């Protein structure tokens, strides 16, 4: 008969995510993970696998949390422009909640050449975000909010790039007014 786990798997995963997020993949040791998660080493390996497998699981969990948050906040938007602006505003709000920047961006910067599985997850999330932006632009065109001459696909690339850039900037810029000006300048292409 299998032993019952003596820890909350999701809580332990969130603790691992926090440590990876703060320190990065390379600087985080297995001993630090075991200690921070409050899980015995054997239980950690049995439940999450090796360090790389654990990292991938934290990325998947982060992506789920981000998608839930976006869906929740998007439900209150009244226009396509407001929804796109909200995506940018969320990047600034994350600065207060998570001063370490976006976990996906951090992963892309640190592991782009070293971990194809992690980078595939980053690309999957970014592709999903790109599709959301494209759909919002098409919605705005159909409602008359945006010009029908806008290239929705090209604009989705532009906004994803701008959003990733903003997520990098929030790691070092604390001037919220400057960040809001950047958002406003980006949104002017929709006019």
């Amino acid at each position: 008969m299998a032993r019952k786990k003596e820890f909350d798997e999701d809580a332990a995963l969130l603790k691992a995510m926090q440590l990876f997020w703060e320190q990065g993949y390379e600087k985080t040791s297995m001993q630090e993970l075991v200690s921070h998660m409050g899980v015995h080493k054997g239980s950690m390996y049995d439940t999450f696998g090796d360090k790389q497998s654990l990292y991938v699981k934290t990325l998947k969990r982060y992506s789920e949390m981000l998608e839930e948050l976006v869906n929740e906040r998007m439900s209150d938007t009244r226009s396509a422009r407001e929804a796109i602006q909200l995506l940018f505003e969320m990047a600034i709000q994350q600065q207060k909640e998570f001063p370490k920047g976006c976990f996906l961006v951090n992963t892309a910067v640190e592991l782009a050449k070293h971990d194809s599985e992690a980078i595939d997850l980053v690309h999957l999330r970014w592709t999903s975000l790109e599709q959301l932006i494209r759909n919002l632009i098409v919605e705005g065109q159909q409602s008359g909010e945006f010009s029908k001459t806008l290239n929705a696909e090209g604009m989705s690339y532009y906004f994803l790039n701008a959003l990733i850039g903003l997520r990098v900037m929030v790691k070092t810029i604390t001037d919220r007014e400057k960040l809001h000006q950047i958002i406003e300048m980006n949104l002017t292409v929709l006019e």
Side-chain angles (χ1 to χ4, degrees):
M1 185 163 129
R3 276 182 59 193
K4 183 178 182 262
K5 287 189 175 130
E6 297 178 10
F7 64 93
D8 180 329
E9 193 172 321
D10 193 54
L13 190 62
L14 292 174
K15 286 179 181 180
M17 180 196 309
Q18 176 190 25
L19 192 60
F20 280 132
W21 202 342
E22 287 175 5
Q23 299 185 167
Y25 178 80
E26 293 296 332
K27 289 186 179 177
T28 303
S29 71
M30 286 301 286
Q31 186 53 47
E32 287 174 308
L33 285 163
V34 168
S35 176
H36 190 76
M37 294 167 68
V39 176
H40 295 291
K41 197 171 195 172
S43 295
M44 190 181 87
Y45 279 107
D46 289 344
T47 305
F48 301 109
D50 63 8
K51 179 178 163 182
Q52 196 271 344
S53 297
L54 175 59
Y55 191 82
V56 166
K57 286 180 172 131
T58 64
L59 273 177
K60 287 179 181 176
R61 184 67 179 105
Y62 176 79
S63 293
E64 292 167 3
M65 291 167 51
L66 195 56
E67 188 167 344
E68 289 169 12
L69 183 62
V70 166
N71 290 337
E72 177 187 316
R73 300 232 177 121
M74 286 284 177
S75 66
D76 293 334
T77 58
R78 296 179 298 278
S79 70
R81 185 187 195 284
E82 185 180 309
I84 292 169
Q85 182 172 353
L86 177 69
L87 291 172
F88 283 88
E89 296 289 342
M90 287 175 65
I92 294 175
Q93 290 168 353
Q94 273 193 319
Q95 177 190 35
K96 289 169 61 177
E97 299 168 26
F98 307 105
K100 301 161 286 295
C102 173
F103 192 37
L104 293 170
V105 171
N106 294 354
T107 298
V109 170
E110 182 183 13
L111 299 177
K113 294 183 180 185
H114 309 292
D115 189 331
S116 61
E117 189 174 8
I119 293 307
D120 286 347
L121 287 170
V122 170
H123 284 284
L124 184 65
R125 180 69 196 132
W126 285 352
T127 300
S128 174
L129 190 55
E130 192 176 275
Q131 182 64 48
L132 172 63
I133 294 167
R134 185 180 304 117
N135 291 345
L136 288 168
I137 292 168
V138 169
E139 179 184 310
Q141 288 174 316
Q142 290 171 346
S143 72
E145 186 179 3
F146 304 144
S147 168
K148 292 191 187 303
T149 62
L150 289 176
N151 177 329
E153 186 172 349
M155 293 302 290
S156 70
Y157 303 156
Y158 169 83
F159 279 117
L160 179 64
N161 181 62
L163 186 56
I164 291 168
L166 184 65
R167 287 182 170 178
V168 171
M169 292 182 78
V170 299
K171 290 178 71 151
T172 59
I173 295 175
T174 57
D175 182 348
R176 293 177 66 79
E177 181 56 35
K178 182 176 184 176
L179 295 171
H180 285 288
Q181 285 180 16
I182 291 168
I183 292 171
E184 285 304 316
M185 285 303 297
N186 278 294
L187 293 175
T188 61
V189 301
L190 293 170
E191 296 169 1

